[in-house]
Amino acid sequence: MSAQPNHFAPLARLLHWLMALMIISMLFIGAGMAASVSERHQWLIHLHKPLGVAILLLVIVRLAVRFSTRQPPLPADLPGWQALAAKASHILLYALMLILPLLGWAMISAAGDPVMLSSSLQLPSILPANAQVFAFLRKAHGYLAYLLFLTVLLHLAAALFHGWVRRDDVLNSMLRGRDRD
């Protein structure tokens, strides 16, 4: 059996950083949508929908890559609660990356609006129009977006903790994909 890798696979690193940019952008676009009633609101919605679908598609690819490649292990001296927190936060991140776009799609469907990705590309509705379901999904989408934002911040804090405090190769395995020189 081969030794554990010291870094993430190149495709896993590419997907991680691409999705990190997309998710951070999506969170700011969503916050802008919630705070704006100007003509900018429609423009932000037209960015938010296709970006959400792209995130949904990429997270599926990312999960396939994750399950088909080996990841570097956490440091052996990492306290058990930190290892558990790392695993739980990754599961939560993946779950939110899957659930939020699906929830947004369902929310738009429940509003009775077409799920337009462009002027000519429409996704099918996944729920019938229902104002009460729409209201519930809208709230859930907002709360879960806040949870995603918090989870991303904790993920970033943990990465910086590994890079700056522990000075182990956890952050380096995703940044450079090779051991420190």
Side-chain angles (χ1 to χ4, degrees):
M1 185 168 184
S2 63
Q4 287 283 352
N6 294 326
H7 54 82
F8 288 89
L11 182 55
R13 288 193 316 274
L14 173 68
L15 289 168
H16 174 274
W17 292 111
L18 176 61
M19 290 190 71
L21 289 172
M22 292 171 74
I23 288 167
I24 290 168
S25 298
M26 181 64 96
L27 289 168
F28 281 103
I29 291 168
M33 284 172 27
S36 175
V37 292
S38 68
E39 65 275 354
R40 181 178 50 201
H41 182 80
Q42 278 302 110
W43 180 75
L44 291 171
I45 286 174
H46 292 304
L47 286 175
H48 195 79
K49 289 178 187 178
L51 190 54
V53 171
I55 288 171
L56 177 61
L57 294 174
L58 283 176
V59 76
I60 293 167
V61 172
R62 190 166 173 195
L63 282 166
V65 169
R66 181 159 180 101
F67 289 126
S68 66
T69 60
R70 297 177 66 195
Q71 292 80 44
L74 292 171
D77 64 339
L78 194 66
W81 71 270
Q82 287 182 18
L84 180 62
K87 290 175 183 168
S89 69
H90 280 98
I91 291 169
L92 182 59
L93 280 169
Y94 279 107
L96 290 169
M97 287 187 288
L98 274 170
I99 292 168
L100 274 164
L102 289 171
L103 206 57
W105 187 355
M107 178 182 68
I108 295 165
S109 296
D113 293 335
V115 185
M116 301 300 295
L117 296 182
S118 69
S119 60
S120 61
L121 182 59
Q122 180 178 341
L123 295 178
S125 292
I126 57 175
L127 288 178
N130 182 311
Q132 290 177 321
V133 172
F134 166 75
F136 173 79
L137 293 175
R138 186 167 188 248
K139 258 189 189 167
H141 191 73
Y143 287 135
L144 289 178
Y146 283 119
L147 179 59
L148 177 60
F149 184 66
L150 179 64
T151 307
V152 166
L153 289 177
L154 290 172
H155 184 74
L156 178 60
L160 294 175
F161 174 75
H162 280 282
W164 294 346
V165 177
R166 283 187 53 97
R167 297 182 187 266
D168 55 28
D169 282 326
V170 170
L171 178 60
N172 198 45
S173 69
M174 186 54 80
L175 285 174
R176 294 188 197 95
R178 57 180 168 77
D179 293 332
R180 281 188 300 207
D181 296 324

